[in-house]
Amino acid sequence: MRAKDVLGRRGEELAADFLQAHGMRIVERNWRCPEGEIDIVALDGDALVIAEVKTRKSLAYGHPFEAVGADKLARLHRLAAAWCRAQGLRMPLCRVDVIAVVDDGIGEPALEHLKGVG
């Protein structure tokens, strides 16, 4: 497995643990369809949360949040609708969250969580 893939997988594990520690229930991870992939699907009370996780080793190429622009947000909303259709659900109250993880492999990883992005 490539170092980038290992870093991304570790970031997703940290993000899932963080969400659970903050009272969310993880419903699915790495759900794929022809349109793309959802990193984490969770429930926060009655709200369906589509969580995009961006992991970096450093801020040398910008903050991880910078990697989630308007096009990516639009795709995440389409993916949320596709996930609901695949589950046979009508679109419930849904939000897109972005979790940034900076993990240089030396100290504790830094994690930031933005709720209800775009």
Side-chain angles (χ1 to χ4, degrees):
M1 185 177 293
R2 296 180 342 201
K4 181 179 177 182
D5 296 334
V6 171
L7 181 67
R9 191 172 300 257
R10 174 156 162 71
E12 288 178 10
E13 287 291 330
L14 292 166
D17 291 347
F18 174 86
L19 294 175
Q20 288 177 314
H22 285 83
M24 293 190 203
R25 184 168 66 87
I26 305 301
V27 176
E28 192 156 357
R29 297 200 31 208
N30 303 113
W31 182 80
R32 299 174 202 276
C33 71
E35 174 118 17
E37 177 184 353
I38 298 173
D39 293 332
I40 299 172
V41 179
L43 289 174
D44 186 8
D46 292 335
L48 179 70
V49 177
I50 302 303
E52 175 70 8
V53 182
K54 290 297 181 188
T55 308
R56 302 287 183 268
K57 289 178 89 171
S58 74
L59 299 177
Y61 296 102
H63 194 281
F65 288 145
E66 294 174 29
V68 183
D71 289 345
K72 180 67 172 182
L73 287 172
R75 179 180 305 136
L76 289 167
H77 284 283
R78 288 191 305 272
L79 286 167
W83 185 87
C84 287
R85 281 191 306 274
Q87 307 309 310
L89 301 173
R90 287 185 16 183
M91 188 74 162
L93 175 62
C94 180
R95 73 172 196 249
V96 173
D97 290 4
V98 181
I99 300 170
V101 179
V102 179
D103 183 3
D104 63 8
I106 298 170
E108 279 295 309
L111 191 145
E112 293 179 71
H113 179 200
L114 289 179
K115 292 183 179 182
V117 178

